[in-house]
Amino acid sequence: MSASQGSVTAGESIGESIGTTLDYLKPLVGLVVVWELIATFELVPEQSLPHTYVVGETLLELTLEGSLLELAGVTVGRAFAAFLIAIVIGVALGLAMAQSTVIGWFFDPIISLGFPIPKVTLVPIYVLWFGFGTVPTVALAVTSAVFPIVIATYDGARGVKRELVWSARSMGVSRVGVAREVVLPAALPSIFNGVQIALFLSFVVVVVAEMVTAGGGIGQMLTESVRFFQTATTIAAVITVAVIGLVSDRLFRLFRGRTLRWTEDA
Amino acid sequence: MAGTHQTTVRQRVGDVYDRWLLLRWLSKLVPIGVMLGLWEFASGRLVPAAILPPFSATAEQIVVLGSSPEFHGHATDTLFRGFAGILIATVLAVPMGLAMARNDRVRRTLEPIVSLTYPVPKSPLIPLVIFWLGIGNASRITLAVIGSFLPILLSAYNGADAVERELLWSARSMGVSRLEEVYEVVFPAAVPTVMTGIRIGLIFSFVIIVSSEMILAQTGLGVLVTDFGQFGQYSKVFAVIFWIAILVAGIDRIYLLVSSRLLAWSDRGVSGI
């Protein structure tokens, strides 16, 4: 838990301590310059790395034409659906595991052994069960994203001070009531750490599933454009996913800061 | 009288405790057994066997696969790619993370890059990197480095940044140079955090390698999964998934065991989501 907090708060303190947008623009400008130099002097074949302006044009064209936004919409919708489902399942299971010794005993080994396993291997099985398209993609992303949420919730809920739970129980609050009114708020900072990783994983897995099953969205666009040597389109798709990932992460941090304003961990 | 009574109680408590430790160990296996039992029961009864082949059929394939040299070749390739990637990422990322924490200039240069790239999903790079570097080891190792680099870098940075000032002051007062300071004080203090970062990096690098093998490759465990899937040999698919699970979860467990041994001197352990 300490580590997950570490990695997340590090990102935050990094964001805060910079402040100036100039520092952010520098690496981006640097990347474009290096890329353009490589392309201009043809250090790699043009087919591998087209000029920056070619990629820019492609990006603009695909956006105006509407196809890029449509595909991105499919991917974002799937990732977001998986993210929300994973939160509901993950938080409920994590809380139940912390509240009940039996549930905790049963799921603890399954969760801790299952977490490091690459869930993408389930693609053929999910295709067999759910067919092609949105359902197996979302199911796979849920399967991946639920683990960090369960672990973070379980850890956070177990760390809640016993006195808090006892005093609530002594005031006649039910077990479910204690879970909702006492444990959940107290575990929230930890839960947010897990949820942030889940957001990242949802996007990663949705794109991979789309690539493996040719199941539409940005993922299919990526594999198809590479197959037809349309490298500019591939890079445009990579940039699109990068921007989406960055924006959703920023929005999530804002939301997290708002929600956790009352704690020290915000 | 009271004394003997006390010792017997203590003995009994100790006995139960010893047994309980063993029981606790064994009890961790029970849920897994229950799940496998449910799987065996459900197949053919609750769901058709075509959709979920029974565990016994999968177990057969697990043995067959585990003793086939072809499978060993694929497994060795995937493992080699994963370990090579994590090794390169560690060698590159740890010094950079330490430098970021110790030097303002390095920090100001790298911080924006890290915070811009950290939340970005790396999986869209898979087709591009395969296109650039081919379908062999080079592209997979590069992808593993891409997948595990930032968690390790951030862990080194966080660990080194959190070093207590008193430690540094006392080292300084003893006449330690700045470089020695990093080597003797900052690095050891950052090791527990770095170990956690490497664990996360390990998990990420296997995810991205297996994914890339499922998308386009000639060898590797990911290839086996998609190949068996395409031919509808689902008990074999489950068998490969089982072996991947055993290998990756096994590596993770061994890593946790070894690192907790190595970190016995520290008050912090390896954790991480």
Side-chain angles (χ1 to χ4, degrees):
Chain A
M1 204 196 110
S2 58
S4 65
Q5 258 176 356
S7 57
V8 174
T9 43
E12 253 169 20
S13 68
I14 283 175
E16 281 164 12
S17 62
I18 296 300
T20 56
T21 38
L22 192 72
D23 278 338
Y24 278 90
L25 283 176
K26 259 192 244 166
L28 289 178
V29 173
L31 175 71
V32 170
V33 169
V34 171
W35 171 1
E36 190 52 43
L37 282 176
I38 293 174
T40 310
F41 292 106
E42 288 190 25
L43 298 177
V44 293
E46 203 190 324
Q47 202 178 46
S48 296
L49 191 71
H51 285 283
T52 47
Y53 51 83
V54 176
V55 174
E57 261 171 62
T58 311
L59 201 54
L60 197 69
E61 221 170 81
L62 290 172
T63 311
L64 292 178
E65 190 188 287
S67 64
L68 184 67
L69 292 182
E70 199 182 306
L71 291 172
V74 171
T75 301
V76 170
R78 286 167 175 173
F80 205 64
F83 176 60
L84 292 182
I85 297 171
I87 291 177
V88 173
I89 299 175
V91 171
L93 182 57
L95 284 180
M97 282 170 68
Q99 294 292 92
S100 147
T101 330
V102 176
I103 299 176
W105 163 78
F106 189 81
F107 282 102
D108 194 345
I110 295 172
I111 295 292
S112 59
L113 279 180
F115 170 58
I117 300 168
K119 260 68 77 181
V120 281
T121 52
L122 289 169
V123 164
I125 302 300
Y126 278 19
V127 167
L128 170 71
W129 288 350
F130 307 117
F132 284 93
T134 297
V135 182
T137 310
V138 172
L140 194 71
V142 170
T143 313
S144 290
V146 84
F147 281 88
I149 302 180
V150 174
I151 295 173
T153 310
Y154 186 43
D155 279 354
R158 274 191 308 175
V160 174
K161 288 196 190 94
R162 268 150 209 266
E163 291 82 0
L164 281 178
V165 176
W166 288 336
S167 52
R169 290 284 284 163
S170 74
M171 286 188 273
V173 183
S174 70
R175 278 178 85 102
V176 177
V178 168
R180 203 181 52 221
E181 304 290 337
V182 181
V183 180
L184 182 63
L188 214 50
S190 168
I191 293 175
F192 265 103
N193 291 336
V195 168
Q196 187 156 21
I197 299 167
L199 178 66
F200 174 78
L201 274 179
S202 305
F203 275 106
V204 169
V205 173
V206 164
V207 174
V208 169
E210 287 171 350
M211 289 195 282
V212 175
T213 63
I218 294 269
Q220 190 179 359
M221 183 188 188
L222 280 160
T223 40
E224 272 182 2
S225 58
V226 164
R227 193 168 301 143
F228 297 116
F229 301 108
Q230 300 162 328
T231 317
T233 309
T234 315
I235 296 176
V238 170
I239 293 172
T240 311
V241 180
V243 171
I244 293 170
L246 202 60
V247 169
S248 58
D249 186 70
R250 287 296 125 124
L251 289 177
F252 180 79
R253 275 166 203 275
L254 265 174
F255 176 70
R256 174 198 162 97
R258 284 267 167 99
T259 316
L260 295 183
R261 200 182 287 158
W262 52 274
T263 69
E264 295 142 15
D265 284 337
Chain B
M1 182 73 190
T4 54
H5 178 70
Q6 266 182 355
T7 50
T8 53
V9 167
R10 200 179 288 166
Q11 269 171 359
R12 261 155 75 193
V13 170
D15 263 14
V16 171
Y17 184 69
D18 282 345
R19 260 188 236 149
W20 194 68
L21 263 182
L22 186 72
L23 274 179
R24 199 174 58 175
W25 225 92
L26 285 176
S27 79
K28 290 198 172 186
L29 297 175
V30 174
I32 313 264
V34 171
M35 294 302 274
L36 294 180
L38 275 178
W39 175 0
E40 181 69 27
F41 177 78
S43 172
R45 292 188 181 84
L46 305 179
V47 288
I51 294 225
L52 186 70
F55 175 66
S56 45
T58 307
E60 221 178 281
Q61 289 300 331
I62 289 171
V63 177
V64 172
L65 206 63
S67 50
S68 91
E70 194 199 341
F71 169 78
H72 293 161
H74 288 291
T76 328
D77 276 355
T78 300
L79 291 180
F80 167 71
R81 291 160 182 172
F83 286 129
I86 202 82
L87 193 73
I88 296 172
T90 307
V91 168
L92 293 175
V94 171
M96 274 176 81
L98 295 181
M100 254 176 97
R102 304 304 309 147
N103 185 306
D104 270 343
R105 198 171 215 177
V106 178
R107 188 206 308 253
R108 277 181 63 86
T109 320
L110 291 183
E111 261 184 350
I113 302 177
V114 173
S115 73
L116 280 177
T117 47
Y118 190 69
V120 169
K122 316 295 181 294
S123 54
L125 287 171
I126 293 173
L128 202 59
V129 172
I130 295 177
F131 177 53
W132 282 342
L133 298 175
I135 58 169
N137 284 336
S139 59
R140 319 291 156 187
I141 294 172
T142 308
L143 285 166
V145 173
I146 292 173
S148 57
F149 183 80
L150 287 175
I152 301 176
L153 174 77
L154 267 183
S155 69
Y157 170 69
N158 285 328
D161 201 42
V163 173
E164 283 152 50
R165 313 233 147 213
E166 289 80 5
L167 282 179
L168 291 175
W169 287 335
S170 51
R172 217 32 100 63
S173 71
M174 286 186 269
V176 174
S177 77
R178 269 190 82 86
L179 208 64
E180 275 173 339
E181 184 182 278
V182 171
Y183 184 70
E184 303 280 345
V185 182
V186 179
F187 179 66
V191 162
T193 326
V194 171
M195 299 283 258
T196 303
I198 294 178
R199 183 196 173 201
I200 297 170
L202 228 118
I203 295 170
F204 280 178
S205 67
F206 277 111
V207 170
I208 203 164
I209 287 175
V210 172
S211 304
S212 81
E213 287 170 353
M214 291 178 73
I215 290 161
L216 186 67
Q218 280 177 329
T219 62
L221 294 173
V223 176
L224 279 186
V225 173
T226 39
D227 278 2
F228 289 141
Q230 261 160 16
F231 294 114
Q233 298 167 308
Y234 292 107
S235 51
K236 286 188 182 176
V237 174
F238 275 114
V240 183
I241 295 176
F242 172 86
W243 277 114
I244 294 176
I246 290 287
L247 288 173
V248 178
I251 290 168
D252 185 54
R253 287 288 117 178
I254 293 170
Y255 181 81
L256 285 177
L257 259 172
V258 171
S259 47
S260 68
R261 274 281 163 84
L262 291 176
L263 293 181
W265 54 271
S266 163
D267 53 353
R268 282 180 295 166
V270 172
S271 60
I273 291 171

